């Protein structure tokens, strides 16, 4: 049997954290409901536990980690494309590879 | 556990000679002096700038009189701004062997290198006879830092190191966590853990200062690798980083070079005071490690998810790997596999206990992975600080 795919870190959270790599199209239980994950997700990434509207705060470990910049569906990846800091912008770079993201745990 | 007793009463867990260049122009000569001693505890440190800076002087003084340091060779070009005589006097006052070589006075590169190597050889031989004495955990100062963080850092390695901090503080050690720029978003929670309301207010002010400072720079302490590892914002990275601080009360807030007045948990405010002047507060992880060592840290606990390989001059670095995939790829660089919390359902407490045991063994002389691999990174840059206010250290005021 596969290990659990995601972990809920605090009851107040509206995101879950992946605790292994998840394949695109995999079904993952979110609060008991099997939910299709559209994109491959490496270990340590976040998905929405419930629909999150643009402007809403995103909670992880019970604390705000920023605001949604777009509406996010349940099970959708929550990352730089739809979440921003309420303090300073995050600087990102695309090295054009998928280093460290192709392995399965 | 045994250590080397120094004249100020502190004990060292290593008996290292440091060779220090006082301007970049003396760097090559200092490096050449150290080269034949790479299998011995002879470390190269230095300051590159020609303009004098009080912070750099204070840092260098704290490092040169660190309990892990048994002797100091200063290498000066001769015309730089660093107060070499003042530094030599401060070191001499501690009873440590110290020698200053001025390249322009010695007659150039070759003569300075020869004189330096002869001094290091003689000092190493002399120090080999220094006795070790019994040392308790309550005499240890331990620092913590995270580098190359990813989405696993805050789930495994950081909480495990926080658990180790709780245990070390319980045993009387002084523990320091830092990088106020990577604690943005945690300020109110930290203030609630402060031993006095006044200290709590100072902590909030320090984080506000950090947020303002990084805001002016237009970029937070957030590297592209953090996002590739699943972290999205500085607050999220902070939250994971904050887990390193464990759960015990916060006894004080210090600045780089301040020694904790007693055992307990301390936050280090690393963001410069005053207007934005010299750029990024800490340009990489080693800049933070050096500041922790300047505050007396004997050992640094370093958590990494993406996989950092660094160690440090002067104090050993224990690498705690958060990500089990990274651990498998880079096991030779890692001292602890905290990723087993995800893979094997090991408890955070199990890994916390393992870290404390390793701290005791490393304090008693066991080499860490980065030490064995010869990592001795060092960096020191310009900064400006105002003195630590009395509200920040309630214990010493009492």
């Amino acid at each position: 049997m596969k290990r659990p795919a995601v972990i809920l870190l605090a009851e107040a959270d509206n995101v879950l954290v992946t605790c292994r790599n998840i394949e695109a199209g995999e079904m993952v239980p979110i609060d008991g409901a099997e939910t299709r994950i559209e994109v491959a997700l490496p270990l340590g990434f976040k998905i929405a536990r419930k629909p999150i509207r643009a402007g809403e705060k995103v909670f992880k470990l019970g604390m705000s980690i920023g605001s949604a910049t777009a509406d996010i569906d349940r099970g959708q990846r929550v990352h730089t494309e739809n979440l921003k800091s309420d303090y300073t912008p995050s600087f990102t770079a695309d090295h054009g590879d998928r280093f460290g993201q192709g392995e399965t745990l | 556990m045994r250590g080397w007793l120094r004249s100020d009463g502190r004990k060292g867990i290593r008996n290292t000679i440091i060779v220090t260049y006082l301007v970049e122009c003396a760097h090559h000569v200092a490096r050449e002096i150290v080269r034949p001693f790479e299998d011995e505890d002879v470390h190269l440190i230095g300051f590159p700038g020609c303009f004098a800076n009080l912070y750099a002087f204070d840092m260098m003084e704290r490092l040169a009189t660190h309990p892990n340091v048994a002797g100091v060779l200063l290498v000066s070009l001769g015309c730089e701004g660093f107060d070499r005589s003042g530094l030599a006097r401060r070191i001499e006052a501690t009873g440590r062997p110290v020698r200053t070589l001025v390249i322009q006075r010695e007659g150039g590169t070759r003569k300075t290198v020869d004189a330096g190597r002869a001094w290091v050889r003689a000092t190493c031989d002399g120090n080999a006879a220094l006795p070790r004495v019994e040392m308790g955990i309550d005499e240890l100062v331990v620092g913590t830092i995270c580098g190359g963080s990813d989405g696993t850092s805050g789930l495994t390695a950081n909480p495990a190191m926080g658990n180790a901090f709780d245990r070390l503080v319980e045993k009387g050690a002084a523990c320091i966590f830092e990088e106020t720029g990577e604690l943005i978003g945690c300020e109110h929670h930290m203030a609630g853990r402060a031993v006095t309301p006044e200290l709590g207010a100072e902590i909030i002010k320090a984080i506000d200062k950090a947020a303002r400072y990084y805001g002016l720079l237009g970029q937070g302490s957030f590297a592209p690798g953090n996002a590739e590892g699943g972290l999205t914002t500085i607050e999220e990275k902070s939250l994971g980083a904050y887990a390193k601080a464990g759960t015990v009360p916060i006894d004080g807030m210090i600045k780089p070079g301040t020694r904790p007045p007693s055992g307990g948990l301390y936050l280090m405010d690393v963001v410069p005071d005053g207007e934005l002047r010299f750029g990024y507060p800490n340009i990489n992880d080693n800049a933070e490690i050096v500041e922790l060592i300047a505050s007396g840290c004997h050992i640094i606990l370093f958590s990494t998810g993406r996989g950092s390989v660094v160690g440090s001059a002067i104090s050993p670095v224990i690498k705690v790997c958060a990500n089990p995939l990274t651990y498998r790829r880079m096991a030779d660089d890692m001292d602890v596999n905290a990723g087993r919390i995800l893979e094997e359902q090991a408890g955070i407490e199990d890994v916390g206990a393992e870290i404390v045991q390793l701290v005791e063994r490393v304090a008693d002389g066991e080499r860490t992975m980065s030490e064995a691999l010869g990592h001795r990174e060092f960096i020191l840059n310009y900064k400006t600080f105002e003195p630590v206010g009395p509200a920040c250290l309630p214990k010493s005021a009492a």
Side-chain angles (χ1 to χ4, degrees), chain B residues 132-150:
Chain B
R132 287 171 82 192
V133 298
E134 278 302 316
M135 179 175 179
I137 295 180
D138 59 350
E139 296 177 273
L140 273 183
V141 185
V142 180
T144 185
I145 176 184
C146 45
S149 297
D150 70 12

Side-chain angles (χ1 to χ4, degrees), chain A residues 3-4 7 9 17-19 21 42-46 60-67 78-81 83-95 97 99-101 103-105, chain B residues 150-152 154-155 184-187 189 207 211 214-215 218-224 226-236 239-240 242 306 323-325 328-329 342-345:
Chain A
R3 275 193 308 281
I7 180 174
L9 297 173
V17 176
T18 59
C19 43
N21 293 346
L43 165 68
F45 277 59
K46 299 176 290 299
K60 177 181 170 183
L61 275 167
M63 284 170 70
S64 168
I65 59 167
S67 302
V78 179
H79 202 22
T80 45
E81 66 275 15
L83 169 63
K84 69 165 183 58
S85 169
D86 291 330
Y87 289 84
T88 50
S90 302
F91 174 70
T92 58
D94 184 359
H95 298 302
D97 62 12
F99 166 69
Q101 302 193 1
E103 296 148 297
T104 45
L105 190 58
Chain B
D150 70 12
T152 64
L155 302 180
I184 290 169
C186 306
E187 56 271 26
H189 194 276
I207 304 297
Y214 279 103
Q219 185 180 325
S221 181
F222 193 94
N226 297 141
E228 286 160 33
L231 296 174
T232 312
T233 63
I234 183 63
E235 302 93 293
E236 183 183 14
L239 194 55
Y242 182 42
R306 301 291 286 171
N323 187 321
L325 302 176
R328 283 205 277 281
R329 197 185 303 122
L342 286 176
E343 282 200 331
E344 299 163 22
Q345 272 78 52

Side-chain angles (χ1 to χ4, degrees), chain A:
Chain A
M1 192 189 131
K2 273 196 155 176
R3 275 193 308 281
V6 290
I7 180 174
L8 174 65
L9 297 173
E11 198 41 57
D13 292 359
N14 49 11
V15 293
L16 303 162
V17 176
T18 59
C19 43
R20 60 172 171 78
N21 293 346
I22 295 175
E23 290 160 30
E26 202 176 321
M27 299 299 286
V28 167
I30 298 179
D31 290 335
E34 289 291 323
T35 309
R36 185 182 154 88
I37 305 300
E38 297 298 335
V39 298
L41 290 171
L43 165 68
F45 277 59
K46 299 176 290 299
I47 58 171
R49 183 186 175 200
K50 51 185 83 166
I52 302 171
R53 287 215 196 89
E56 229 179 289
K57 299 266 188 212
V58 172
F59 288 92
K60 177 181 170 183
L61 275 167
M63 284 170 70
S64 168
I65 59 167
S67 302
T69 55
D71 292 343
I72 308 170
D73 293 333
R74 174 204 284 253
Q76 191 180 333
R77 182 173 103 149
V78 179
H79 202 22
T80 45
E81 66 275 15
N82 51 24
L83 169 63
K84 69 165 183 58
S85 169
D86 291 330
Y87 289 84
T88 50
S90 302
F91 174 70
T92 58
D94 184 359
H95 298 302
D97 62 12
R98 303 279 295 164
F99 166 69
Q101 302 193 1
E103 296 148 297
T104 45
L105 190 58

Side-chain angles (χ1 to χ4, degrees), chain B residues 336-388:
Chain B
V336 176
N337 175 16
R340 59 197 185 87
I341 291 169
L342 286 176
E343 282 200 331
E344 299 163 22
Q345 272 78 52
I348 283 168
E349 301 75 22
D350 301 329
V351 178
E354 181 189 336
I355 293 169
V356 172
Q357 286 164 9
L358 186 56
V359 164
E360 292 181 35
R361 296 205 308 274
V362 168
D364 202 31
E366 184 176 312
R367 298 280 156 164
T368 67
M369 292 297 201
S370 50
E371 274 186 300
L373 289 165
H375 282 283
R376 290 164 180 185
E377 286 84 351
F378 184 87
I379 186 162
L380 182 58
N381 274 309
Y382 286 93
K383 276 193 181 183
T384 309
F385 280 105
E386 288 158 15
V388 172

Side-chain angles (χ1 to χ4, degrees), chain B residues 2 10 67 71 84 93 114 118 129 138 155 160 181 189 210 213 241 272-273 282-283 285 304 317 332 341 358 366:
Chain B
R2 289 181 308 153
R10 292 187 293 167
R84 61 172 182 265
D114 289 346
D138 59 350
L155 302 180
H189 194 276
Y213 206 93
D273 293 315
N282 282 323
I283 59 173
D285 294 330
T304 182
V317 173
D332 290 350
I341 291 169
L358 186 56
E366 184 176 312

